Amino acid sequence: MLRSNSDQLHRVKMIRNYLPIILFVIVASYESWEHLLLTGNFKLDFHGTSEVLFFGVIGPTSVFFVLSYVVSLLEKQMIAAGELEALNITLEQKVEVRTKALAERNAELAAANEELQKLDELKSDFVSLVSHELRGPLTTLNGGIELALQDGESMSPESRRTLVVMARESERLTEFVQTILDVSRLDAGKWSLNLGAVAVTPLIKHVIQLLNADRHRDVDFDEQRGLPPVWVDETALEKIICNLMTNADKYSPSGKPIELTANLKHRHLEITVTDYGAGIPTAMQSRIFERFQRLESGDRITTKGWGLGLYFAKALAEAQGCTLSVRSPAHEDGEYPGSTFILTVPLANEIPADA
Ligand code: ADP
């Protein structure tokens, strides 16, 4: 670029220097020729000389000045182009240095990421192993306590009470180990889903029965007829609904019902679980789905839990194309604002044939 500009400048300078001389020679020759035709000799008189000087100097001089101006413009353009090129080179060098640094940083991050993934896998394997190893002895322990309690009559009331507490705590520990095992399997992508067409109404009724077997809580299920089947893993969906209902039961006062609905919404089915508990503050509504998150309320002391249920339920829901969210308050009533957990589930007939 710079080279072609300097060639151009050189040519314009040549034209500027020689063109006025050529023009002068042309004018002088023309005037001499005209003088020869008119007078028959080459000797120029005053009139001829002044014509040569007038036309042969003014024209070429003007051409010289105009071309000088063009030369000065070209020189300025050349300087600017030179500066631009220098700037470009500096920039290119800077970009090259930065690109190299970024590539190095990227490689470092990729290595760190790989390391973290390995550690995470190690942690998951460790947690799974420990949970597995704990499950066996716990099953034996639960069975033993249950057997001992069957023979409770022969025991002193004190021993029986201790055994009942042991049974409850051991059951809680078993539940915890199972939750940890489920979460680590899901996190490690080792939870295999068996997707298929599932009828929601019988599944919900089954969950209500399960809940009623353990606790006494009124459940109002607004049963809709003719709901289309959904495309999910039946056991996983049951676990999610069970989890939401257990929470609704845990976090609402006795005597207040749990409300359950299942409705067709555009291209999916919406299942809602509503309670009459203390509700969930807006700022915490997304956080309760994170691991080990529990609300800072009185419930935290009175209600046992690990803050893993909703994390697990949401992850399990998303793994099969569902969504899980919460809306609170659910009621106008200030004393029992409550919460509504909303689960959207894909319809079986909306799933492409090759899914
Ligand atoms: P856990 O119940 O074992 O603590 P979860 O992940 O199921 O764990 O719930 C996380 C937290 O969200 C709970 O500790 C509780 O503070 C809050 N929460 C969950 N469900 C409800 C509900 N229905 N009403 C009020 N708070 C709730």
Side-chain angles (χ1 to χ4, degrees):
M1 163 91 170
L2 263 183
R3 184 157 177 78
S4 78
N5 272 359
S6 98
D7 286 352
Q8 209 176 4
L9 182 67
H10 182 67
R11 263 183 251 125
V12 176
K13 272 185 178 169
M14 293 252 294
I15 295 170
R16 181 196 62 179
N17 294 341
Y18 294 114
L19 190 61
I21 298 168
I22 294 167
L23 285 176
F24 178 77
V25 171
I26 292 171
V27 171
S29 312
Y30 176 79
E31 287 299 331
S32 307
W33 183 249
E34 193 187 32
H35 187 75
L36 177 70
L37 284 181
L38 291 176
T39 60
N41 64 60
F42 268 121
K43 246 177 104 193
L44 282 178
D45 54 8
F46 175 74
H47 178 74
T49 312
S50 34
E51 259 184 8
V52 168
L53 285 178
F54 188 76
F55 294 115
V57 173
I58 289 185
T61 310
S62 317
V63 169
F64 181 81
F65 280 119
V66 169
L67 287 177
S68 292
Y69 179 64
V70 172
V71 165
S72 81
L73 286 182
L74 277 175
E75 277 170 347
K76 275 187 194 152
Q77 190 198 7
M78 250 186 77
I79 292 167
E83 281 169 2
L84 208 68
E85 202 159 303
L87 210 68
N88 248 351
I89 291 170
T90 323
L91 264 177
E92 267 168 24
Q93 282 168 347
K94 274 189 185 162
V95 168
E96 205 176 310
V97 171
R98 279 286 162 90
T99 313
K100 215 169 141 197
L102 269 178
E104 278 167 15
R105 193 88 193 94
N106 249 357
E108 276 170 28
L109 279 176
N113 199 18
E114 207 175 305
E115 188 74 10
L116 275 177
Q117 264 172 4
K118 272 190 205 152
L119 279 175
D120 202 45
E121 265 172 41
L122 211 68
K123 182 211 75 185
S124 292
D125 288 350
F126 176 73
V127 171
S128 296
L129 185 80
V130 172
S131 314
H132 253 299
E133 290 305 310
L134 281 174
R135 234 170 28 155
L138 275 172
T139 314
T140 318
L141 201 70
N142 287 340
I145 297 174
E146 207 176 303
L147 214 66
L149 273 173
Q150 277 172 10
D151 201 22
E153 258 87 277
S154 59
M155 280 180 222
S156 69
E158 185 60 24
S159 310
R160 195 179 148 72
R161 247 195 321 274
T162 312
L163 219 55
V164 169
V165 173
M166 274 174 71
R168 211 170 40 231
E169 289 305 308
S170 171
E171 221 170 84
R172 233 173 71 75
L173 188 60
T174 312
E175 209 183 306
F176 178 62
V177 167
Q178 188 56 49
T179 308
I180 292 283
L181 203 61
D182 287 350
V183 169
S184 69
R185 265 174 62 207
L186 191 68
D187 278 352
K190 288 180 185 158
W191 189 292
S192 53
L193 290 166
N194 190 10
L195 298 178
V198 173
V200 161
T201 308
L203 186 140
I204 291 180
K205 284 183 173 170
H206 177 61
V207 179
I208 295 173
Q209 268 176 1
L210 285 179
L211 187 84
N212 277 346
D214 278 357
R215 327 154 202 241
H216 302 288
R217 166 83 63 180
D218 283 344
V219 180
D220 296 341
F221 176 34
D222 178 20
E223 188 180 334
Q224 301 282 322
R225 293 198 168 272
L227 285 181
V230 290
W231 191 258
V232 284
D233 177 316
E234 192 168 3
T235 319
L237 184 64
E238 193 180 302
K239 257 184 185 291
I240 298 168
I241 300 175
C242 221
N243 183 297
L244 298 178
M245 288 186 60
T246 310
N247 273 355
D249 179 59
K250 262 178 18 181
Y251 298 107
S252 50
S254 57
K256 288 281 173 188
I258 297 172
E259 289 162 356
L260 247 157
T261 66
N263 287 301
L264 190 61
K265 287 275 158 98
H266 192 41
R267 301 173 87 165
H268 59 258
L269 203 96
E270 190 180 88
I271 300 171
T272 65
V273 179
T274 303
D275 59 56
Y276 284 82
I280 299 163
T282 314
M284 284 303 288
Q285 285 177 14
S286 59
R287 299 206 57 198
I288 52 165
F289 293 101
E290 292 170 15
R291 260 187 256 211
F292 305 116
Q293 284 293 338
R294 305 198 73 208
L295 294 188
E296 293 288 340
S297 64
D299 283 350
R300 195 187 167 103
I301 301 143
T302 52
T303 321
K304 300 210 161 135
W306 311 285
L308 280 173
L310 286 178
Y311 166 76
F312 178 68
K314 193 174 171 80
L316 197 56
E318 285 171 358
Q320 49 186 330
C322 305
T323 65
L324 179 60
S325 57
V326 65
R327 191 176 52 226
S328 182
H331 318 281
E332 301 284 300
D333 183 348
E335 198 182 348
Y336 303 108
S339 323
T340 298
F341 282 83
I342 306 144
L343 180 69
T344 67
V345 192
L347 295 177
N349 60 10
E350 290 286 338
I351 303 295
D354 56 352

